[in-house]
Structure formats: structure tokens, C-alpha cells
């Protein structure tokens, strides 16, 4: 089997499983959790940006990355059609 075809099949299965799991969450709960994650992500990115200029910048970078992931997952929850 061709590697690219195998990779495409794996991605399709992964995304359909992801859509199924997110689809099990009721829409009002998904919207509330998505908004909370967006707000938390924005605050964490801002806080991480300020902490990165302090003495140990590694902690600020970690906080900033957590904020980015939280923000991205909040967008995923809000944009899900299901």
C-alpha cells in the first residue's frame, strides 16, 4: 500500500473519530466550554508574554504555548457543526 494513501486513510479515520467525540457533547455545553477556553487561552498567552520577559523565560514560553493550544481547541469547539 502506498504510504501517502495509508496516511490519508489514517487522517480520515482520526478526523472522523475526533468529529464523533466532539459531536457527543451537547451544543450548549460545547459553546460555553469553547468560550471559556478562548478566554483562558487569550489570558494565558498575554500572561505568558509578560512572564517571558522576567528572569526565567522558560516558564513564560510554556504558559504561552498552553494558551495557544487552549485558544485553538476553543475555536475547534465553537466551529464544530454537529
Amino acid at each position: 500500500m502506498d504510504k501517502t494513501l495509508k496516511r490519508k486513510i489514517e487522517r480520515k479515520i482520526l478526523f472522523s473519530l475526533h468529529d464523533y467525540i466532539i459531536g457527543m457533547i451537547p451544543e450548549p455545553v460545547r459553546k460555553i466550554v469553547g468560550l471559556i477556553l478562548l478566554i483562558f487561552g487569550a489570558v494565558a498567552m498575554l500572561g505568558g508574554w509578560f512572564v517571558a520577559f522576567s528572569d526565567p523565560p522558560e516558564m513564560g514560553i510554556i504558559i504561552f504555548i498552553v494558551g495557544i493550544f487552549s485558544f485553538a481547541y476553543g475555536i475547534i469547539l465553537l466551529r464544530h457543526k454537529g
Side-chain angles (χ1 to χ4, degrees), residues 3-51:
K3 282 189 176 185
T4 57
L5 180 62
K6 184 178 178 183
R7 210 171 307 150
K8 286 180 183 179
I9 292 172
E10 288 174 354
R11 285 182 59 91
K12 183 149 180 84
I13 291 172
L14 180 66
F15 284 133
S16 64
L17 182 64
H18 186 260
D19 286 342
Y20 178 73
I21 291 171
I22 291 179
M24 288 179 12
I25 303 169
E27 186 175 358
V29 174
R30 214 171 38 233
K31 299 292 180 187
I32 292 170
V33 172
L35 285 172
I36 290 170
L37 285 173
L38 275 177
I39 293 168
F40 175 76
V43 171
M45 285 190 296
L46 185 63
W49 186 68
F50 283 124
V51 172

